[in-house]
Amino acid sequence: MKQLVRLGIGILVVAFALMYLTKYLNSEQGYSGGNTLTVYNWGDYIDPDLIAEFEEQTGVKVIYQTFDSNEAMMTKIQQGGTTFDVAVPSDYAISKMMEDNLLLPIDHSKVPNLKNIDPRFMDLSFDPGNVYSVPYFWGTVGVVYNPELVGDLTFDSWNDLWSPELRNQILLVDSAREVMGMGLNSLGYSLNDKNEDHLQEALKKLKTLTPNVKALVGDEIKMLLANEEAAVGLVWSGDASEILSENDKLDYVVPKEGSNLWFDNMVIPKTAKNLDAAHQFINFMLDPEVAERNAEYVGYSTPNREALKLLPAEISEDERFYPNDELTSKLEVYDNLGKKMLVHYNELFLEFKMHSK
């Protein structure tokens, strides 16, 4: 018994020593729990130099972690094991997080640079009044193609993807909402459609596309298209920008029937411990010069109208990535379909994937 007591005391002594050492090291570096900010973002979705600048300006140490899907991000925040002060979910995920009480309201008085955001991108259906979120990047879903390999096809319509000459030439992003949305849009339906007849019709049509589908892939789609391993790809506009920068023979288009208009917004999760730093970081990222540099680095479209004025004309005037009002009016934001319907979309997508093998 005495040995057990001594062992227990020894463990406590070591634990307290480690706690003290950690606190000492943090203080030596100028950081403590009070001035540390944990940011949860998509991979390669910020200019790392900006993080260093924010730290230098504010004295706040940024711990930067990444996720690869909205679902993974939401699960981790819901579990509550890690303190996240700022996260960057997509539109439909924001709606779901609000529903699940996972977000804290943003104090607009602490984010004066919010005035720089284009009003078109504020007060949207997934967060009326921007109570819980602030725009970070936006974009579309469309088609990257190699004009030298597709003949006369211009992909003005989604239906061009079904052309027989594209046999084994199409890469699709491995994502249910994008692929099911493409099928629905090609039939003139909403990409948020819940009508079972329409969903089955879209699935049936997608199955007829399988002879043209070379593969469903993840991030490697950028490299494969840039290297001309396939003639056509269904991609997000930000990825398209990166692909085109690697291979200027390629082009990007959003078909006339419409597509997805997506938004990634900054939010403050309910797990946040450093609210002041969270607001400081959000406001910093909305500074026009910061937002302009970030947009150039990431390659996605900025919702910051003041930053847009600072971007080179070849970027800001490129209607492939900053589409005109006529096309924008045909684009849809993803709705939160609800758990049951989202599962159903995933089941239909899985059926399509199995049929494609």
Side-chain angles (χ1 to χ4, degrees):
M1 179 62 74
K2 289 182 179 179
Q3 287 180 331
L4 287 174
V5 171
R6 281 198 294 268
L7 179 60
I9 292 172
I11 292 172
L12 286 172
V13 169
V14 171
F16 279 116
L18 289 172
M19 287 172 61
Y20 176 80
L21 179 61
T22 301
K23 184 176 181 180
Y24 173 77
L25 289 173
N26 283 338
S27 64
E28 283 294 295
Q29 295 172 14
Y31 306 127
S32 66
N35 64 345
T36 298
L37 180 80
T38 304
V39 177
Y40 201 25
N41 199 357
W42 300 84
D44 200 27
Y45 210 34
I46 192 172
D47 182 344
D49 288 343
L50 294 175
I51 295 176
E53 285 186 25
F54 175 77
E55 290 180 325
E56 186 176 349
Q57 283 186 22
T58 63
V60 175
K61 168 64 177 176
V62 175
I63 300 170
Y64 192 80
Q65 297 188 28
T66 63
F67 56 85
D68 58 11
S69 75
N70 282 295
E71 288 67 31
M73 176 272 303
M74 286 189 285
T75 298
K76 195 161 185 180
I77 288 175
Q78 203 153 25
Q79 289 173 343
T82 305
T83 294
F84 295 111
D85 299 298
V86 176
V88 189
S90 302
D91 34 50
Y92 74 93
I94 293 168
S95 176
K96 181 70 168 63
M97 294 173 81
M98 290 164 56
E99 188 179 285
D100 293 344
N101 195 30
L102 295 178
L103 300 178
L104 295 174
I106 292 174
D107 184 345
H108 287 200
S109 70
K110 295 182 178 180
V111 190
N113 282 329
L114 197 57
K115 67 180 185 293
N116 298 322
I117 298 295
D118 190 320
R120 292 183 301 155
F121 305 133
M122 297 287 286
D123 197 30
L124 298 176
S125 59
F126 58 88
D127 183 16
N130 291 91
V131 176
Y132 295 97
S133 69
V134 170
Y136 183 67
F137 280 121
W138 68 278
T140 57
V141 172
V143 177
V144 163
Y145 67 99
N146 188 330
E148 295 181 0
L149 301 178
V150 299
D152 295 330
L153 296 174
T154 61
F155 304 96
D156 179 53
S157 169
W158 285 114
N159 291 302
D160 284 354
L161 293 171
W162 276 262
S163 301
E165 54 264 46
L166 295 180
R167 187 177 183 87
N168 201 39
Q169 281 297 314
I170 298 175
L171 297 175
L172 302 177
V173 290
D174 190 2
S175 178
R177 292 301 297 267
E178 280 65 39
V179 175
M180 287 298 299
M182 174 187 71
L184 288 163
N185 281 157
S186 73
L187 293 164
Y189 300 139
S190 166
L191 47 70
N192 295 306
D193 205 320
K194 295 183 180 181
N195 183 298
E196 186 59 25
D197 290 338
H198 295 171
L199 292 172
Q200 291 299 330
E201 188 180 352
L203 176 61
K204 183 178 179 180
K205 184 172 182 179
L206 284 170
K207 286 181 176 179
T208 67
L209 182 66
T210 54
N212 291 358
V213 177
K214 186 170 187 175
L216 287 96
V217 292
D219 282 345
E220 64 269 29
I221 196 169
K222 294 181 285 187
M223 178 189 68
L224 292 171
L225 288 170
N227 291 341
E228 302 183 24
E229 298 289 336
V232 183
L234 173 73
V235 298
W236 294 281
S237 56
D239 287 350
S241 176
E242 188 174 335
I243 294 164
L244 270 55
S245 70
E246 294 292 328
N247 187 336
D248 60 11
K249 290 193 298 183
L250 307 183
D251 206 351
Y252 175 73
V253 64
V254 178
K256 63 184 179 184
E257 294 91 351
S259 184
N260 171 230
L261 176 66
W262 57 261
F263 292 88
D264 288 338
N265 282 20
M266 293 179 282
V267 302
I268 301 178
K270 201 172 183 179
T271 59
K273 298 297 183 185
N274 197 339
L275 291 178
D276 286 340
H279 284 90
Q280 280 182 288
F281 182 81
I282 291 171
N283 193 58
F284 173 81
M285 296 307 300
L286 298 187
D287 176 85
E289 291 187 5
V290 169
E292 184 271 332
R293 287 169 54 196
N294 204 33
E296 280 212 69
Y297 178 88
V298 175
Y300 280 56
S301 302
T302 178
N304 191 313
R305 61 182 174 182
E306 298 305 315
L308 190 62
K309 297 174 185 177
L310 302 176
L311 282 167
E314 62 266 23
I315 296 176
S316 62
E317 297 175 7
D318 190 338
E319 290 197 349
R320 295 173 299 181
F321 304 106
Y322 290 92
N324 58 41
D325 291 342
E326 181 183 357
L327 177 57
T328 303
S329 68
K330 298 178 182 178
L331 303 176
E332 293 180 277
V333 174
Y334 286 137
D335 288 343
N336 174 15
L337 297 173
K339 186 174 182 179
K340 185 176 180 181
M341 185 55 65
L342 184 59
V343 168
H344 186 46
Y345 263 65
N346 289 332
E347 289 171 345
L348 295 172
F349 178 56
L350 180 59
E351 186 175 339
F352 165 68
K353 288 173 69 173
M354 296 302 292
H355 189 268
S356 301
K357 291 184 177 180

